[in-house]
Amino acid sequence: MKRNSRLSSTLHILVHMTETQEHALTSEQLATFIHTNPVVVRRTIAGLRDAGIVTSSRGHGGGWQLGRAPEKISLAEISAALGETLLPFSTEPESPGCLVEQAVMAALDDFRVEAERLLAEKLSRITLADLAADFRRRYELIGVTSHAV
Amino acid sequence: MKRNSRLSSTLHILVHMTETQEHALTSEQLATFIHTNPVVVRRTIAGLRDAGIVTSSRGHGGGWQLGRAPEKISLAEISAALGETLLPFSTEPESPGCLVEQAVMAALDDFRVEAERLLAEKLSRITLADLAADFRRRYELIGVTSHAV
DNA sequence: GTTTCATGTAACTTAGTTAGTTACGAGTCT
DNA sequence: AGACTCGTAACTAACTAAGTTACATGAAAC
């Protein structure tokens, strides 16, 4: 797993889980999908479990499954559950009391709040079911999944 | 200068330059505003010079000045000149050939492109003059700039 | 022309973040 | 009881970005 690809890696995992809803997938299996380590998977999607997006079970036959129908899981929820920030810049003051900084931060903060609302709204319109449907469309066209690499 | 605060730090600097348009400010002076090193300042705003947002001159009385009127400098330009990415996530493939990944990346990329367009549009409506005006408003209310800390 | 001041930039150091790994405890099914 | 799997702490490695040092280049003052 490369840097800054937690969202895409997680979506990758979740689409696989959508395609395999009849049984659980282990961290080990999920890890191979995104070429990483089982522990990294568990750590990464722990937040999704807390958000009810996935469930995990221990022991024989255990593993991970979707917590609810993929139509009811939006990318906005997933991103939030991962603790990802939609915007990269900070608005924490470094010179409290400096009026220049206050003016800058006020403008930036206004922008950030509105931008985040906007992005979240956009992401909330895309569901896991949409991604899975697109995958199936591609699959029917080409006919191979190829996790060979 | 803290991490991930390049945009806010640069804006801080630029507002100071807006308020001091009659003469140039040295990297040394700019560095004290954002509590950092002159070299870091030069490195950070080098891109702004290439974009014509600021000009620099060497030697006695040299330093940095705005390249054009603050009304004509938008935050979108500044952000772009800094080389900042508006969105933090990557859409580079890790398993080329995997159809699941292709579906995920396609959705994410669509979102990213539209989101970036949207954010840039928003940022292009805020100019340096707006920030400077807000600073002056705050200054008239309180009466101190305070770079003491 | 020499001195002084300032940028431009390369090279190195330091600090912080995150993925990756190892290890082991705690449930759960057969 | 034994096999299996998650949960999590602790550590290591890799990467990124800020900070620093050093010095060359250019411009103004004298």
Side-chain angles (χ1 to χ4, degrees), chain A residues 111-125:
Chain A
F111 168 75
R112 191 179 53 70
V113 167
E114 202 187 340
E116 273 172 359
R117 193 186 51 71
L118 226 91
L119 298 184
E121 204 272 336
K122 276 205 163 306
L123 281 180
S124 71
R125 293 188 189 283

Side-chain angles (χ1 to χ4, degrees), chain A residues 4 35 86 88 95 99 118 144, chain B residues 4 35 86 88 95 99 118 144:
Chain A
N4 252 22
H35 306 118
L86 263 13
S95 315
L99 294 180
L118 226 91
V144 209
Chain B
N4 252 21
H35 306 119
L86 263 14
S95 315
L99 293 180
L118 224 92
V144 209

Side-chain angles (χ1 to χ4, degrees), chain B residues 34 101 126 132 139-141 145:
Chain B
I34 58 172
E101 181 175 282
I126 312 173
Y139 181 71
E140 264 145 42
L141 279 173
T145 7

Side-chain angles (χ1 to χ4, degrees), chain A residues 2 4-5 12 35 85-86 88 90 94-95 98-100 106-107 114-115 118-119 122 131 138 144-147, chain B residues 2 4-5 12 35 85-86 88 90 94-95 98-100 106-107 114-115 118-119 122 131 134 138 144-147:
Chain A
K2 277 206 304 263
N4 252 22
S5 58
H12 190 151
H35 306 118
T85 51
L86 263 13
S90 83
E94 300 183 2
S95 315
C98 171
L99 294 180
V100 172
E114 202 187 340
L118 226 91
L119 298 184
K122 276 205 163 306
L131 299 195
R138 290 167 191 267
V144 209
T145 7
S146 165
H147 258 121
Chain B
K2 277 203 305 261
N4 252 21
S5 59
H12 190 151
H35 306 119
T85 51
L86 263 14
S90 83
E94 300 184 2
S95 315
C98 172
L99 293 180
V100 172
E114 201 187 342
L118 224 92
L119 297 184
K122 277 208 161 306
L131 299 195
D134 186 34
R138 289 166 192 268
V144 209
T145 7
S146 167
H147 260 120

Side-chain angles (χ1 to χ4, degrees), chain B residues 2-138:
Chain B
K2 277 203 305 261
R3 275 192 141 225
N4 252 21
S5 59
R6 281 173 62 203
L7 180 57
S8 55
S9 294
T10 301
L11 291 176
H12 190 151
I13 281 175
L14 289 173
V15 171
H16 274 289
M17 284 168 60
T18 303
E19 294 298 302
T20 325
Q21 291 187 60
E22 61 275 8
H23 61 86
L25 292 168
T26 67
S27 312
E28 187 87 39
Q29 293 173 304
L30 297 176
T32 65
F33 292 145
I34 58 172
H35 306 119
T36 186
N37 189 293
V39 177
V40 174
V41 169
R42 292 202 279 266
R43 200 159 51 195
T44 303
I45 64 178
L48 304 194
R49 182 186 51 229
D50 302 339
I53 295 169
V54 298
T55 61
S56 65
S57 54
R58 299 179 171 191
H60 219 113
W64 301 81
Q65 277 178 296
L66 291 187
R68 55 176 180 273
E71 291 80 15
K72 307 256 184 194
I73 301 175
S74 75
L75 299 212
E77 287 175 279
I78 296 166
S79 171
L82 286 172
E84 298 280 80
T85 51
L86 263 14
L87 281 304
F89 51 79
S90 83
T91 51
E92 283 164 40
E94 300 184 2
S95 315
C98 172
L99 293 180
V100 172
E101 181 175 282
Q102 282 175 26
V104 169
M105 291 310 190
L108 236 34
D109 216 54
D110 281 357
F111 168 74
R112 190 178 53 72
V113 167
E114 201 187 342
E116 273 174 0
R117 193 186 52 70
L118 224 92
L119 297 184
E121 204 273 336
K122 277 208 161 306
L123 281 180
S124 71
R125 294 188 189 283
I126 312 173
T127 72
L128 204 49
D130 297 330
L131 299 195
D134 186 34
F135 157 70
R136 279 194 289 274
R137 189 182 58 73
R138 289 166 192 268

